[in-house]
Amino acid sequence: MHAQTMPPDPLSTSTAPETTSLASRFVDSMKWNSTTQVFGLVIRFLSSLVIARGLGLRLYGVNASVNSFFMLLPSLLSIGFEETIQVVAARWMASDEHRPRVRTLLRKLVAWRLALYVPAAAALFFGAPAIAAWVREPEVELFVKLLVAAMLVSGIASLYSNVAQACLRIRGLTIFNMGIQVAGLVAAYLILRAGGGIAGLLAWQVVSATVSLGFYALNAHGLMPGAAEPIEVPPVIRFAGTAWLTAMCGQFLLKELDIVLLNVFRVPWQAIGAYNLGASLGITLGFLTNGIGPLFQAALAETAERSGRERVG
């Protein structure tokens, strides 16, 4: 009598090389993502020091105030599009059959983002003289117009970059983003040495956002072969709205809103500059002391996964 052969367990990871490969890619992506966060915080803090020294506390406060407002506005208008790509697109990209749907999803999200951003950008662009008069800084008119351009380009670039993140293609994005951040630090130093001031720094933001959009778009289109397929829109809208509401409840009261409120209450520019510099140092030190753990966790998890162990210890 022959022993009965049991069918393979469909949930077993030992007989599923695809699952092992996906787990390895996830761990690798987590490690690279953590590296990006640590590197980005350090570079941004160094940039803050360079800009504060080059501009002085008063103009640094002006620069921080304008940038904070334009960082807060995209958060209010994002409507959860990035989270939608990270979750929905990741599920579709795992299947060759559903992968063409990602192209349709991206096209719709880009169109919806433009529908939200363009009216807001137009209102800010034509309202720039009024904003400059309200804060009693004539140069702010040019600053607002430059930031409007940077906001439009960065908003579209963010959607394309999330396609690569959904596919766990983090290594290439990390190397590119590190290069952009280092270039931004060098550019800030050279612009300030040349007397470019805040306008020069904001012009660099427009340039770097445009370069990033080109890189992300080329990278994303290479991951979406085939023609676009129709998708059901209502579930996507519901998911995006839920993700946006969750993000707003957890992230609305951040430093950007603090600086906007400081301007509402007419706090002097020098005080805002000092506050922004101190807050940047606090965020950097806080992440380095409390948030660097995931980087080591990812490295340990990868070691355990490659050695075939379920846990380390």
Side-chain angles (χ1 to χ4, degrees):
M1 179 181 296
H2 297 283
Q4 183 178 2
T5 303
M6 296 297 294
D9 184 2
L11 300 180
S12 173
T13 56
S14 60
T15 58
E18 296 85 358
T19 304
T20 303
S21 175
L22 181 61
S24 179
R25 287 170 53 200
F26 173 79
V27 170
D28 187 63
S29 298
M30 183 178 177
K31 184 169 62 177
W32 279 97
N33 187 56
S34 300
T35 303
T36 303
Q37 294 183 29
V38 175
F39 185 84
L41 278 173
V42 173
I43 290 296
R44 282 194 293 272
F45 177 66
L46 292 177
S47 298
S48 297
L49 291 178
V50 171
I51 295 172
R53 182 175 178 81
L55 293 177
L57 273 184
R58 182 182 177 278
L59 288 179
Y60 181 67
V62 175
N63 181 69
S65 300
V66 176
N67 274 284
S68 293
F69 178 77
F70 279 88
M71 290 177 68
L72 186 62
L73 183 61
S75 299
L76 297 174
L77 298 177
S78 64
I79 318 297
F81 288 173
E82 279 78 9
E83 292 82 358
T84 301
I85 291 179
Q86 291 175 6
V87 175
V88 178
R91 187 172 57 196
W92 288 345
M93 292 295 284
S95 170
D96 293 337
E97 179 183 357
H98 296 152
R99 184 169 294 190
R101 295 181 183 179
V102 179
R103 188 182 297 275
T104 305
L105 175 66
L106 183 60
R107 288 178 179 176
K108 290 185 178 296
L109 292 181
V110 169
W112 295 342
R113 172 145 295 177
L114 288 175
L116 291 170
Y117 272 37
V118 169
L124 290 170
F125 186 87
F126 293 108
I131 296 174
W134 180 68
V135 299
R136 302 177 209 176
E137 289 288 342
E139 297 98 340
V140 169
E141 179 179 351
L142 175 60
F143 303 161
V144 169
K145 292 179 178 179
L146 288 171
L147 277 171
V148 164
M151 182 186 73
L152 283 172
V153 179
S154 298
I156 304 303
S158 177
L159 296 177
Y160 280 99
S161 69
N162 274 272
V163 173
Q165 293 182 33
C167 300
L168 301 180
R169 303 295 180 91
I170 305 298
R171 181 178 301 183
L173 292 179
T174 298
I175 295 173
F176 174 79
N177 289 332
M178 285 181 174
I180 284 290
Q181 290 166 353
V182 172
L185 176 60
V186 175
Y189 176 78
L190 295 177
I191 289 170
L192 294 175
R193 283 292 300 269
I198 298 177
L201 296 174
L202 298 179
W204 166 256
Q205 288 190 27
V206 177
V207 172
S208 63
T210 304
V211 173
S212 298
L213 174 58
F215 175 82
Y216 296 147
L218 290 174
N219 190 61
H221 282 297
L223 298 172
M224 299 182 299
E229 288 186 0
I231 61 174
E232 296 184 19
V233 174
V236 173
I237 295 177
R238 287 195 298 268
F239 182 88
T242 303
W244 174 80
L245 183 61
T246 302
M248 285 297 98
C249 292
Q251 301 178 9
F252 191 74
L253 296 177
L254 291 176
K255 182 169 67 70
E256 286 75 27
L257 183 59
D258 291 349
I259 294 180
V260 170
L261 291 176
L262 290 175
N263 281 273
V264 171
F265 290 103
R266 301 286 182 158
V267 175
W269 297 116
Q270 292 90 338
I272 295 177
Y275 170 81
N276 184 68
L277 190 61
S280 298
L281 175 61
I283 292 173
T284 303
L285 292 178
F287 185 86
L288 291 178
T289 55
N290 301 319
I292 201 170
L295 179 63
F296 296 101
Q297 291 173 2
L300 291 173
E302 182 181 23
T303 302
E305 192 273 333
R306 288 181 176 178
S307 62
R309 300 177 65 183
E310 294 183 357
R311 60 193 178 113
V312 177

